[in-house]
Coordinates of all heavy atoms in Angstrom, one line a residue:
M1 N -23.3 -51.3 -25.6 CA -23.0 -50.4 -26.7 C -21.6 -50.3 -27.0 O -20.7 -50.3 -26.1 CB -23.6 -49.0 -26.3 CG -23.4 -48.0 -27.3 SD -24.6 -46.6 -27.0 CE -24.1 -45.6 -28.4
I2 N -21.2 -50.1 -28.2 CA -19.8 -50.0 -28.6 C -19.4 -48.5 -28.4 O -20.0 -47.6 -28.8 CB -19.7 -50.3 -30.1 CG1 -20.2 -51.7 -30.4 CG2 -18.2 -50.2 -30.5 CD1 -20.2 -52.1 -31.8
K3 N -18.2 -48.4 -27.7 CA -17.7 -47.1 -27.4 C -16.7 -46.8 -28.5 O -15.8 -47.6 -28.8 CB -17.0 -47.0 -26.1 CG -18.0 -47.1 -25.0 CD -17.4 -46.9 -23.6 CE -18.5 -46.9 -22.6 NZ -18.0 -46.6 -21.2
L4 N -16.8 -45.7 -29.2 CA -15.9 -45.2 -30.2 C -15.5 -43.8 -29.9 O -16.2 -43.0 -29.4 CB -16.6 -45.1 -31.6 CG -17.1 -46.5 -32.2 CD1 -17.9 -46.2 -33.4 CD2 -15.9 -47.4 -32.4
D5 N -14.2 -43.5 -30.1 CA -13.7 -42.1 -30.0 C -14.1 -41.4 -31.3 O -14.5 -42.0 -32.3 CB -12.3 -42.0 -29.7 CG -11.4 -42.7 -30.7 OD1 -11.9 -43.5 -31.5 OD2 -10.2 -42.4 -30.7
I6 N -14.0 -40.1 -31.3 CA -14.5 -39.3 -32.4 C -13.7 -39.6 -33.7 O -14.2 -39.6 -34.8 CB -14.5 -37.8 -32.0 CG1 -15.2 -37.0 -33.1 CG2 -13.1 -37.3 -31.8 CD1 -16.7 -37.2 -33.2
S7 N -12.4 -39.8 -33.6 CA -11.6 -40.1 -34.8 C -11.9 -41.4 -35.5 O -12.0 -41.5 -36.7 CB -10.1 -40.0 -34.5 OG -9.8 -41.0 -33.6
T8 N -12.2 -42.4 -34.7 CA -12.6 -43.7 -35.2 C -14.0 -43.5 -35.9 O -14.2 -44.1 -37.0 CB -12.7 -44.7 -34.1 OG1 -11.4 -44.8 -33.5 CG2 -13.0 -46.1 -34.7
F9 N -14.9 -42.8 -35.2 CA -16.2 -42.6 -35.8 C -16.2 -41.9 -37.1 O -16.8 -42.2 -38.1 CB -17.1 -41.8 -34.8 CG -18.5 -41.5 -35.4 CD1 -19.4 -42.5 -35.5 CD2 -18.8 -40.2 -35.8 CE1 -20.7 -42.2 -36.0 CE2 -20.0 -39.9 -36.3 CZ -21.0 -40.9 -36.4
V10 N -15.4 -40.8 -37.2 CA -15.2 -40.0 -38.4 C -14.6 -40.9 -39.5 O -15.0 -40.9 -40.7 CB -14.4 -38.8 -38.2 CG1 -14.0 -38.1 -39.5 CG2 -15.2 -37.8 -37.3
S11 N -13.6 -41.7 -39.2 CA -12.9 -42.6 -40.2 C -13.9 -43.6 -40.7 O -14.0 -43.8 -41.9 CB -11.8 -43.3 -39.5 OG -10.8 -42.4 -39.1
L12 N -14.7 -44.2 -39.8 CA -15.7 -45.2 -40.3 C -16.8 -44.5 -41.1 O -17.2 -45.1 -42.1 CB -16.3 -45.9 -39.1 CG -15.5 -46.9 -38.4 CD1 -16.2 -47.4 -37.1 CD2 -15.1 -48.1 -39.3
H13 N -17.2 -43.3 -40.7 CA -18.2 -42.6 -41.5 C -17.7 -42.3 -42.9 O -18.4 -42.5 -43.9 CB -18.6 -41.3 -40.8 CG -19.6 -40.5 -41.4 ND1 -20.6 -41.1 -42.2 CD2 -19.9 -39.2 -41.5 CE1 -21.4 -40.2 -42.7 NE2 -21.0 -39.0 -42.2
I14 N -16.5 -41.9 -43.1 CA -15.9 -41.6 -44.4 C -15.7 -42.9 -45.2 O -16.1 -42.9 -46.4 CB -14.5 -40.9 -44.2 CG1 -14.8 -39.4 -43.7 CG2 -13.8 -40.8 -45.5 CD1 -13.5 -38.7 -43.3
L15 N -15.3 -43.9 -44.5 CA -15.1 -45.2 -45.2 C -16.4 -45.7 -45.7 O -16.5 -46.2 -46.9 CB -14.5 -46.2 -44.3 CG -14.2 -47.6 -44.9 CD1 -13.2 -47.6 -46.0 CD2 -13.8 -48.6 -43.8
V16 N -17.5 -45.7 -44.9 CA -18.8 -46.2 -45.4 C -19.3 -45.3 -46.5 O -19.9 -45.8 -47.5 CB -19.8 -46.2 -44.2 CG1 -21.2 -46.5 -44.6 CG2 -19.3 -47.3 -43.2
S17 N -19.1 -44.0 -46.4 CA -19.6 -43.1 -47.5 C -18.9 -43.4 -48.8 O -19.5 -43.4 -49.9 CB -19.3 -41.6 -47.1 OG -20.0 -41.3 -45.9
V18 N -17.6 -43.6 -48.8 CA -16.8 -43.9 -50.0 C -17.3 -45.2 -50.6 O -17.4 -45.4 -51.8 CB -15.3 -43.9 -49.7 CG1 -14.5 -44.5 -50.8 CG2 -14.8 -42.5 -49.4
I19 N -17.5 -46.2 -49.7 CA -17.9 -47.5 -50.2 C -19.3 -47.4 -50.9 O -19.6 -48.0 -51.9 CB -17.9 -48.6 -49.1 CG1 -16.4 -48.9 -48.8 CG2 -18.7 -49.8 -49.5 CD1 -16.3 -49.8 -47.5
A20 N -20.2 -46.6 -50.2 CA -21.5 -46.4 -50.8 C -21.5 -45.7 -52.2 O -22.2 -46.1 -53.1 CB -22.4 -45.6 -49.8
V21 N -20.6 -44.7 -52.3 CA -20.4 -44.0 -53.6 C -19.9 -45.0 -54.6 O -20.4 -45.0 -55.8 CB -19.5 -42.8 -53.4 CG1 -19.1 -42.2 -54.8 CG2 -20.2 -41.7 -52.6
L22 N -19.0 -45.8 -54.3 CA -18.4 -46.8 -55.3 C -19.5 -47.8 -55.7 O -19.6 -48.1 -56.9 CB -17.2 -47.5 -54.7 CG -15.9 -46.7 -54.6 CD1 -14.8 -47.5 -53.8 CD2 -15.4 -46.3 -55.9
I23 N -20.3 -48.2 -54.8 CA -21.3 -49.2 -55.1 C -22.3 -48.5 -56.0 O -22.8 -49.1 -57.0 CB -22.0 -49.8 -53.8 CG1 -21.0 -50.7 -53.1 CG2 -23.3 -50.5 -54.1 CD1 -21.5 -51.2 -51.8
F24 N -22.8 -47.3 -55.7 CA -23.7 -46.6 -56.6 C -23.1 -46.4 -58.0 O -23.7 -46.5 -59.0 CB -24.1 -45.3 -56.0 CG -25.2 -45.4 -55.0 CD1 -25.0 -45.1 -53.7 CD2 -26.5 -45.9 -55.4 CE1 -26.0 -45.2 -52.7 CE2 -27.5 -46.0 -54.5 CZ -27.3 -45.7 -53.1
W25 N -21.8 -46.0 -58.0 CA -21.1 -45.8 -59.3 C -21.1 -47.0 -60.2 O -21.5 -47.0 -61.3 CB -19.7 -45.3 -59.0 CG -18.9 -44.9 -60.2 CD1 -19.3 -44.8 -61.5 CD2 -17.5 -44.5 -60.2 NE1 -18.3 -44.4 -62.3 CE2 -17.2 -44.2 -61.5 CE3 -16.6 -44.4 -59.2 CZ2 -15.9 -43.8 -61.8 CZ3 -15.3 -43.9 -59.5 CH2 -15.0 -43.6 -60.8
I26 N -20.7 -48.2 -59.6 CA -20.7 -49.4 -60.3 C -22.1 -49.8 -60.8 O -22.3 -50.2 -61.9 CB -20.1 -50.5 -59.5 CG1 -18.6 -50.2 -59.3 CG2 -20.3 -51.9 -60.1 CD1 -17.9 -51.1 -58.2
F27 N -23.1 -49.6 -59.9 CA -24.5 -50.0 -60.2 C -25.0 -49.1 -61.4 O -25.5 -49.7 -62.4 CB -25.4 -49.7 -59.0 CG -26.8 -49.8 -59.3 CD1 -27.4 -51.0 -59.5 CD2 -27.6 -48.6 -59.4 CE1 -28.8 -51.1 -59.8 CE2 -28.9 -48.7 -59.7 CZ -29.5 -49.9 -59.9
F28 N -24.7 -47.8 -61.4 CA -25.2 -47.0 -62.5 C -24.4 -47.2 -63.8 O -25.0 -47.1 -64.9 CB -25.2 -45.5 -62.1 CG -26.3 -45.1 -61.2 CD1 -26.1 -44.8 -59.9 CD2 -27.6 -45.2 -61.6 CE1 -27.1 -44.5 -59.0 CE2 -28.7 -44.9 -60.8 CZ -28.4 -44.5 -59.5
E29 N -23.1 -47.5 -63.7 CA -22.4 -47.9 -64.9 C -22.9 -49.1 -65.6 O -23.1 -49.2 -66.8 CB -20.9 -48.1 -64.6 CG -20.1 -46.8 -64.3 CD -19.9 -46.0 -65.6 OE1 -19.6 -46.7 -66.7 OE2 -20.0 -44.8 -65.6
I30 N -23.2 -50.2 -64.8 CA -23.7 -51.4 -65.3 C -25.1 -51.2 -65.9 O -25.4 -51.6 -67.0 CB -23.7 -52.5 -64.2 CG1 -22.3 -52.9 -63.9 CG2 -24.6 -53.7 -64.7 CD1 -22.2 -53.8 -62.7
R31 N -25.9 -50.4 -65.2 CA -27.3 -50.1 -65.7 C -27.2 -49.3 -67.0 O -28.0 -49.6 -67.9 CB -28.1 -49.3 -64.7 CG -29.5 -49.3 -65.0 CD -30.3 -48.6 -63.9 NE -30.1 -47.2 -64.2 CZ -30.9 -46.2 -63.7 NH1 -31.8 -46.5 -62.8 NH2 -30.6 -45.0 -63.9
A32 N -26.3 -48.4 -67.1 CA -26.2 -47.6 -68.3 C -25.8 -48.4 -69.5 O -26.2 -48.3 -70.6 CB -25.2 -46.4 -68.1
K33 N -24.9 -49.4 -69.3 CA -24.4 -50.3 -70.4 C -25.5 -51.2 -70.8 O -25.7 -51.5 -71.9 CB -23.2 -51.1 -69.9 CG -22.0 -50.2 -69.8 CD -20.7 -50.9 -69.8 CE -19.6 -49.9 -69.5 NZ -18.5 -50.1 -70.2
I34 N -26.3 -51.7 -69.8 CA -27.4 -52.6 -70.1 C -28.5 -51.9 -70.9 O -29.0 -52.4 -71.9 CB -28.0 -53.2 -68.8 CG1 -27.0 -54.2 -68.3 CG2 -29.3 -53.9 -69.1 CD1 -27.4 -54.8 -66.9
N35 N -28.8 -50.7 -70.5 CA -29.9 -49.9 -71.2 C -29.4 -49.2 -72.4 O -30.3 -48.7 -73.1 CB -30.5 -48.9 -70.2 CG -31.2 -49.5 -69.1 OD1 -31.6 -50.7 -69.1 ND2 -31.4 -48.8 -68.0
G36 N -28.2 -49.3 -72.7 CA -27.7 -48.7 -74.0 C -27.6 -47.2 -73.9 O -27.7 -46.5 -74.9
I37 N -27.5 -46.6 -72.7 CA -27.4 -45.1 -72.6 C -26.0 -44.6 -73.1 O -25.9 -43.6 -73.6 CB -27.6 -44.7 -71.1 CG1 -29.0 -45.1 -70.7 CG2 -27.3 -43.2 -70.9 CD1 -29.3 -44.9 -69.3
C38 N -25.0 -45.4 -72.9 CA -23.6 -45.0 -73.4 C -23.6 -45.0 -74.9 O -24.1 -46.0 -75.5 CB -22.6 -46.0 -72.9 SG -22.4 -46.0 -71.1
P39 N -23.1 -44.0 -75.5 CA -23.2 -43.9 -76.9 C -22.2 -45.0 -77.6 O -21.2 -45.3 -77.0 CB -22.7 -42.5 -77.2 CG -21.9 -42.1 -76.0 CD -22.5 -42.8 -74.9
D40 N -22.7 -45.5 -78.6 CA -21.9 -46.5 -79.4 C -20.8 -45.8 -80.1 O -20.8 -44.6 -80.3 CB -22.8 -47.2 -80.4 CG -22.2 -48.5 -80.9 OD1 -21.1 -48.9 -80.4 OD2 -22.8 -49.2 -81.7
D41 N -19.7 -46.6 -80.4 CA -18.6 -46.0 -81.0 C -18.9 -45.4 -82.4 O -18.2 -44.4 -82.9 CB -17.4 -47.0 -81.2 CG -16.8 -47.3 -79.8 OD1 -17.0 -46.5 -78.9 OD2 -16.1 -48.3 -79.7
K42 N -19.9 -45.9 -83.1 CA -20.2 -45.4 -84.4 C -20.9 -44.0 -84.3 O -21.0 -43.4 -85.3 CB -21.1 -46.4 -85.2 CG -22.5 -46.5 -84.6 CD -23.3 -47.5 -85.4 CE -24.7 -47.7 -84.9 NZ -25.5 -48.6 -85.7
Y43 N -21.4 -43.6 -83.2 CA -22.0 -42.3 -83.0 C -21.0 -41.2 -82.6 O -21.3 -40.1 -82.5 CB -23.1 -42.4 -82.0 CG -24.3 -43.3 -82.5 CD1 -24.8 -44.1 -81.6 CD2 -24.7 -43.3 -83.8 CE1 -25.9 -45.0 -81.9 CE2 -25.7 -44.1 -84.2 CZ -26.3 -45.0 -83.2 OH -27.3 -45.8 -83.6
I44 N -19.8 -41.6 -82.2 CA -18.8 -40.7 -81.7 C -17.9 -40.2 -82.9 O -17.3 -41.1 -83.6 CB -17.9 -41.3 -80.6 CG1 -18.8 -41.7 -79.4 CG2 -16.8 -40.3 -80.2 CD1 -18.1 -42.4 -78.3
W45 N -17.9 -39.0 -83.1 CA -17.1 -38.4 -84.2 C -16.0 -37.5 -83.7 O -16.2 -36.8 -82.7 CB -18.1 -37.6 -85.1 CG -19.1 -38.4 -85.8 CD1 -20.3 -38.8 -85.3 CD2 -19.1 -38.8 -87.1 NE1 -21.0 -39.5 -86.2 CE2 -20.3 -39.5 -87.3 CE3 -18.2 -38.7 -88.2 CZ2 -20.6 -40.1 -88.6 CZ3 -18.6 -39.3 -89.4 CH2 -19.7 -40.0 -89.6
R46 N -14.9 -37.5 -84.4 CA -13.8 -36.7 -84.0 C -13.4 -35.8 -85.3 O -13.1 -36.4 -86.3 CB -12.6 -37.5 -83.6 CG -11.4 -36.6 -83.1 CD -10.3 -37.5 -82.6 NE -9.8 -38.4 -83.6 CZ -8.8 -38.2 -84.4 NH1 -8.1 -37.0 -84.3 NH2 -8.4 -39.0 -85.2
C47 N -13.4 -34.5 -85.1 CA -13.1 -33.6 -86.2 C -11.5 -33.6 -86.3 O -10.8 -33.4 -85.3 CB -13.6 -32.2 -85.9 SG -13.2 -31.0 -87.1
N48 N -11.1 -33.7 -87.6 CA -9.6 -33.7 -87.8 C -9.1 -32.3 -87.9 O -7.9 -32.1 -87.8 CB -9.3 -34.4 -89.1 CG -9.6 -35.9 -89.0 OD1 -9.5 -36.5 -87.9 ND2 -9.9 -36.5 -90.1
I49 N -10.0 -31.3 -88.0 CA -9.6 -29.9 -88.2 C -9.4 -29.3 -86.8 O -8.3 -28.7 -86.4 CB -10.6 -29.1 -89.0 CG1 -10.8 -29.7 -90.3 CG2 -10.1 -27.6 -89.1 CD1 -9.6 -29.9 -91.2
C50 N -10.4 -29.3 -86.0 CA -10.4 -28.6 -84.7 C -10.3 -29.6 -83.5 O -10.3 -29.2 -82.3 CB -11.6 -27.8 -84.5 SG -13.1 -28.6 -84.3
L51 N -10.2 -30.9 -83.8 CA -10.1 -32.0 -82.8 C -11.2 -32.1 -81.8 O -11.1 -32.5 -80.7 CB -8.7 -31.9 -82.0 CG -7.5 -31.8 -82.9 CD1 -6.3 -31.7 -82.0 CD2 -7.4 -33.1 -83.7
N52 N -12.4 -31.5 -82.2 CA -13.6 -31.6 -81.4 C -14.1 -33.0 -81.5 O -14.2 -33.6 -82.5 CB -14.6 -30.6 -82.0 CG -15.9 -30.6 -81.1 OD1 -15.8 -30.8 -79.9 ND2 -17.0 -30.2 -81.8
I53 N -14.5 -33.5 -80.3 CA -15.1 -34.9 -80.2 C -16.6 -34.7 -79.8 O -16.9 -34.0 -78.8 CB -14.4 -35.7 -79.2 CG1 -13.0 -36.0 -79.7 CG2 -15.1 -37.1 -79.0 CD1 -12.1 -36.7 -78.7
Y54 N -17.5 -35.2 -80.6 CA -18.9 -35.0 -80.3 C -19.7 -36.3 -80.7 O -19.2 -37.2 -81.3 CB -19.4 -33.8 -81.1 CG -19.3 -33.9 -82.6 CD1 -20.4 -34.3 -83.4 CD2 -18.1 -33.6 -83.2 CE1 -20.3 -34.4 -84.7 CE2 -18.0 -33.7 -84.6 CZ -19.1 -34.1 -85.4 OH -19.0 -34.2 -86.7
V55 N -21.0 -36.3 -80.3 CA -21.9 -37.4 -80.6 C -22.9 -37.0 -81.7 O -23.5 -35.9 -81.5 CB -22.6 -37.9 -79.3 CG1 -23.6 -39.0 -79.7 CG2 -21.6 -38.3 -78.3
D56 N -23.0 -37.7 -82.8 CA -23.9 -37.5 -83.8 C -24.5 -38.8 -84.2 O -23.9 -39.6 -84.9 CB -23.2 -36.8 -85.0 CG -24.2 -36.4 -86.1 OD1 -25.4 -36.6 -85.9 OD2 -23.7 -36.0 -87.2
S57 N -25.7 -39.0 -83.7 CA -26.4 -40.3 -84.0 C -27.2 -40.3 -85.3 O -27.8 -41.3 -85.7 CB -27.3 -40.7 -82.8 OG -28.3 -39.8 -82.6
L58 N -27.4 -39.1 -85.9 CA -28.2 -39.0 -87.1 C -27.5 -39.2 -88.4 O -28.1 -39.6 -89.4 CB -28.9 -37.6 -87.1 CG -29.8 -37.3 -85.9 CD1 -30.3 -35.9 -86.0 CD2 -30.9 -38.3 -85.8
S59 N -26.2 -39.0 -88.4 CA -25.4 -39.1 -89.6 C -24.8 -40.5 -89.7 O -24.4 -41.1 -88.7 CB -24.3 -38.1 -89.6 OG -24.8 -36.8 -89.5
D60 N -24.8 -41.0 -90.9 CA -24.3 -42.4 -91.2 C -22.9 -42.3 -91.8 O -21.9 -42.9 -91.3 CB -25.2 -43.2 -92.1 CG -26.4 -43.6 -91.4 OD1 -26.4 -43.8 -90.2 OD2 -27.5 -43.7 -92.1
D61 N -22.7 -41.6 -92.9 CA -21.5 -41.5 -93.6 C -20.7 -40.2 -93.5 O -19.5 -40.2 -93.4 CB -21.7 -41.8 -95.1 CG -22.2 -43.2 -95.3 OD1 -21.9 -44.1 -94.5 OD2 -23.0 -43.4 -96.3
I62 N -21.4 -39.1 -93.5 CA -20.8 -37.8 -93.4 C -21.5 -37.0 -92.3 O -22.7 -37.0 -92.2 CB -21.0 -37.0 -94.7 CG1 -20.2 -37.8 -95.9 CG2 -20.4 -35.6 -94.6 CD1 -20.4 -37.2 -97.2
S63 N -20.6 -36.4 -91.4 CA -21.1 -35.6 -90.3 C -20.5 -34.2 -90.4 O -19.4 -34.0 -91.0 CB -20.8 -36.3 -89.0 OG -21.2 -35.5 -87.9
T64 N -21.2 -33.3 -89.9 CA -20.7 -31.9 -89.9 C -20.3 -31.6 -88.4 O -21.1 -31.7 -87.5 CB -21.8 -30.9 -90.3 OG1 -22.3 -31.3 -91.6 CG2 -21.3 -29.5 -90.4
C65 N -19.1 -31.1 -88.3 CA -18.6 -30.7 -87.0 C -19.4 -29.5 -86.5 O -19.5 -28.5 -87.1 CB -17.1 -30.4 -87.1 SG -16.4 -29.8 -85.5
P66 N -19.9 -29.6 -85.3 CA -20.7 -28.5 -84.7 C -19.8 -27.3 -84.3 O -20.3 -26.2 -84.1 CB -21.4 -29.1 -83.5 CG -20.6 -30.3 -83.1 CD -19.9 -30.8 -84.4
N67 N -18.5 -27.6 -84.2 CA -17.6 -26.5 -83.7 C -17.1 -25.7 -84.9 O -17.2 -24.4 -84.8 CB -16.4 -27.1 -82.9 CG -15.7 -26.1 -82.2 OD1 -16.2 -25.1 -81.8 ND2 -14.4 -26.4 -81.9
C68 N -16.6 -26.3 -85.9 CA -16.0 -25.5 -87.0 C -16.8 -25.7 -88.3 O -16.5 -25.0 -89.3 CB -14.5 -26.0 -87.2 SG -14.3 -27.6 -87.8
G69 N -17.7 -26.6 -88.4 CA -18.5 -26.8 -89.6 C -17.9 -27.6 -90.7 O -18.5 -27.7 -91.8
S70 N -16.8 -28.2 -90.5 CA -16.2 -29.0 -91.6 C -16.9 -30.4 -91.6 O -17.5 -30.8 -90.7 CB -14.7 -29.2 -91.3 OG -14.5 -29.9 -90.1
Y71 N -16.8 -31.0 -92.8 CA -17.4 -32.3 -93.1 C -16.4 -33.4 -92.7 O -15.2 -33.3 -93.0 CB -17.8 -32.4 -94.5 CG -19.0 -31.5 -94.9 CD1 -18.7 -30.3 -95.6 CD2 -20.3 -31.8 -94.5 CE1 -19.8 -29.4 -95.9 CE2 -21.3 -30.9 -94.8 CZ -21.1 -29.7 -95.5 OH -22.1 -28.9 -95.8
I72 N -16.9 -34.4 -92.1 CA -16.1 -35.5 -91.7 C -16.7 -36.8 -92.2 O -17.9 -37.0 -92.0 CB -16.0 -35.7 -90.1 CG1 -15.6 -34.3 -89.5 CG2 -15.1 -36.8 -89.7 CD1 -15.9 -34.2 -88.1
T73 N -15.9 -37.6 -93.0 CA -16.5 -38.8 -93.5 C -16.2 -39.9 -92.5 O -15.4 -39.8 -91.6 CB -15.8 -39.2 -94.9 OG1 -14.4 -39.3 -94.6 CG2 -16.1 -38.1 -95.9
R74 N -16.8 -41.1 -92.7 CA -16.6 -42.2 -91.8 C -15.2 -42.7 -91.9 O -14.6 -43.1 -90.8 CB -17.6 -43.3 -92.2 CG -17.6 -44.6 -91.4 CD -17.9 -44.4 -89.9 NE -19.3 -44.0 -89.7 CZ -19.8 -43.6 -88.6 NH1 -19.0 -43.5 -87.5 NH2 -21.0 -43.3 -88.4
E75 N -14.6 -42.7 -93.0 CA -13.2 -43.1 -93.2 C -12.3 -42.2 -92.4 O -11.3 -42.7 -91.8 CB -12.8 -43.2 -94.6 CG -13.5 -44.4 -95.4 CD -14.9 -44.0 -95.8 OE1 -15.3 -42.8 -95.9 OE2 -15.7 -45.0 -95.9
Q76 N -12.5 -40.9 -92.5 CA -11.7 -40.0 -91.7 C -11.8 -40.2 -90.2 O -10.9 -40.0 -89.5 CB -12.0 -38.5 -92.1 CG -11.6 -38.1 -93.5 CD -12.1 -36.7 -93.8 OE1 -13.0 -36.2 -93.2 NE2 -11.4 -36.1 -94.7
N77 N -13.1 -40.5 -89.8 CA -13.4 -40.7 -88.4 C -12.7 -41.9 -87.8 O -12.4 -41.9 -86.6 CB -14.9 -40.8 -88.2 CG -15.3 -40.6 -86.8 OD1 -14.7 -39.8 -86.1 ND2 -16.3 -41.4 -86.4
K78 N -12.4 -42.9 -88.6 CA -11.8 -44.1 -88.1 C -10.3 -43.9 -87.8 O -9.7 -44.7 -87.0 CB -12.0 -45.3 -89.0 CG -13.4 -45.7 -89.1 CD -13.6 -46.9 -90.1 CE -15.0 -47.3 -90.2 NZ -15.2 -48.3 -91.2
K79 N -9.6 -42.9 -88.4 CA -8.2 -42.7 -88.2 C -7.9 -42.3 -86.8 O -8.6 -41.6 -86.2 CB -7.7 -41.7 -89.2 CG -7.8 -42.3 -90.7 CD -7.2 -41.3 -91.6 CE -7.4 -41.8 -93.1 NZ -7.1 -40.8 -94.0
Ligands
ZN1 ZN1 -14.2 -29.2 -86.2

């Protein structure tokens, strides 16, 4: 049996935990991109009045800011 002191055991435990979190993080990021869960850039709108950034997948050319109610056109959104 391998003899470890408590500080080595705690260090290895933290290291293994961090590596496991990183592996899960990368796995779920790749899975989200493959499944299309991440919103496309065309669905992300930025209000020029209140600088609110939100997702609106229903609007094509004109969107209404949910924060201040102003109208945002696609051309304004690209700036
Ligand atoms: Zn707004």
Side-chain angles (χ1 to χ4, degrees):
M1 180 160 180
I2 302 171
K3 292 188 178 186
L4 296 174
D5 59 343
I6 189 69
S7 64
T8 305
F9 176 75
V10 171
S11 299
L12 287 175
H13 183 28
I14 291 172
L15 180 68
V16 169
S17 300
V18 168
I19 290 172
V21 167
L22 286 176
I23 289 172
F24 278 116
W25 185 3
I26 292 170
F27 170 74
F28 284 112
E29 282 289 322
I30 291 173
R31 195 180 77 164
K33 290 195 184 221
I34 289 174
N35 292 340
I37 295 173
C38 293
D40 197 1
D41 286 343
K42 67 180 182 180
Y43 299 136
I44 298 174
W45 295 80
R46 182 175 60 92
C47 178
N48 292 330
I49 306 299
C50 67
L51 303 178
N52 182 29
I53 297 174
Y54 61 97
V55 176
D56 185 3
S57 62
L58 301 176
S59 302
D60 289 330
D61 295 329
I62 298 175
S63 178
T64 306
C65 175
N67 194 27
C68 67
S70 65
Y71 292 103
I72 306 162
T73 63
R74 180 63 67 190
E75 290 78 26
Q76 289 175 337
N77 193 37
K78 290 179 181 177
K79 294 179 184 174

